Amino acid sequence: AQTVTQSQPEMSVQEAETVTLSCTYDTSESNYYLFWYKQPPSRQMILVIRQEAYKQQNATENRFSVNFQKAAKSFSLKISDSQLGDTAMYFCAFMNLPPSGSRLTFGEGTQLTVNP
Amino acid sequence: DADVTQTPRNRITKTGKRIMLECSQTKGHDRMYWYRQDPGLGLRLIYYSFDVKDINKGEISDGYSVSRQAQAKFSLSLESAIPNQTALYFCATSDRDRGGYTFGSGTRLTVV
């Protein structure tokens, strides 16, 4: 079974600075998807970024980028120019390829606070 | 209207009571899921359904049951609620081929 580990329960950053959230996972599969989800106080689950394991290029979405190290099974999220609205719980998640996969396995979460 | 609707949004119930959490979707997805969120544990899969006739247990199914009444409806039941089932519950759907998820807004359940 796959496991996902987020070793930082809480982090804080000053507004406009850069922060990196860590995630490691364990799998015997060679192809899979990795995700970062954001959960603000509204508790809605919001997809931040998605990485396909067969793609060597790191995914980027505006201020959010990942550092995907497949051999090390590491998938960190970098948030640049942090904004107050980035304050949220962040979850790393793993999925085997659909259609036979599709179940998400989540990490424990990292509570990020952006300070003014 | 939301693509995935969960009812109720919040619920307080007593130990031993039966309770049903409901989920409906307009995404047209075949695949539906129930997850439970606890502090420090992330989200864990309770049950999932890949179509109306396919129901599967997740990693923490004990004490729960589900019903897939139609492609668009997937309900979660707690037959006899206990305090350690106090949690935030999420319903989600996914696209069969690309795996993209859509989450409901969650049901916060408190068992006293």
Side-chain angles (χ1 to χ4, degrees):
Chain A
Q2 289 77 23
T3 59
V4 178
T5 301
Q6 295 177 247
S7 59
Q8 304 153 314
E10 298 179 353
M11 293 192 72
S12 63
V13 64
Q14 293 299 121
E15 198 174 5
E17 295 191 344
T18 296
V19 64
T20 298
L21 308 184
S22 300
C23 173
T24 59
Y25 60 94
D26 188 27
T27 183
S28 59
E29 302 292 331
S30 59
N31 287 320
Y32 45 86
Y33 297 149
L34 293 164
F35 305 85
W36 279 98
Y37 281 90
K38 170 184 177 180
Q39 186 183 50
S42 67
R43 78 194 195 200
Q44 187 65 39
M45 293 290 287
I46 301 166
L47 178 64
V48 175
I49 202 163
R50 165 184 170 138
Q51 175 77 44
E52 291 145 329
Y54 58 87
K55 292 185 177 179
Q56 293 191 355
Q57 185 173 7
N58 289 324
T60 299
E61 289 287 343
N62 300 315
R63 298 182 294 106
F64 299 87
S65 61
V66 297
N67 183 5
F68 174 47
Q69 301 290 327
K70 191 173 184 180
K73 296 181 182 175
S74 170
F75 183 61
S76 61
L77 175 70
K78 186 173 80 170
I79 306 174
S80 303
D81 185 26
S82 296
Q83 300 176 0
L84 296 178
D86 295 333
T87 292
M89 180 71 80
Y90 287 82
F91 293 102
C92 178
F94 172 100
M95 179 193 289
N96 280 315
L97 292 185
S100 59
S102 295
R103 291 162 289 167
L104 280 171
T105 299
F106 288 88
E108 303 90 339
T110 297
Q111 177 63 50
L112 176 67
T113 301
V114 180
N115 298 308
Chain B
D1 288 342
D3 293 324
V4 180
T5 301
Q6 289 185 237
T7 56
R9 180 166 173 81
N10 299 292
R11 178 76 180 266
I12 300 173
T13 192
K14 293 184 178 180
T15 297
K17 291 290 188 181
R18 183 179 188 276
I19 183 169
M20 179 182 290
L21 309 184
E22 299 192 20
C23 177
S24 63
Q25 54 120 342
T26 58
K27 296 290 291 185
H29 290 162
D30 289 327
R31 302 183 169 202
M32 298 187 73
Y33 311 82
W34 277 103
Y35 286 87
R36 165 179 172 160
Q37 182 179 347
D38 297 279
L41 297 178
L43 283 76
R44 294 177 292 166
L45 183 62
I46 307 172
Y47 269 95
Y48 64 101
S49 170
F50 280 3
D51 66 41
V52 175
K53 297 180 180 180
D54 177 71
I55 303 287
N56 302 280
K57 293 182 177 181
E59 61 179 304
I60 55 163
S61 60
D62 287 349
Y64 302 94
S65 62
V66 291
S67 174
R68 186 81 184 267
Q69 300 95 324
Q71 186 207 37
K73 296 183 181 295
F74 192 38
S75 60
L76 176 72
S77 293
L78 287 67
E79 297 300 327
S80 179
I82 56 177
N84 76 1
Q85 292 178 312
T86 292
L88 181 58
Y89 290 84
F90 282 99
C91 175
T93 71
S94 75
D95 176 88
R96 178 185 183 276
D97 295 316
R98 297 195 69 248
Y101 265 58
T102 302
F103 285 87
S105 56
T107 293
R108 184 168 298 284
L109 176 67
T110 302
V111 183
V112 298

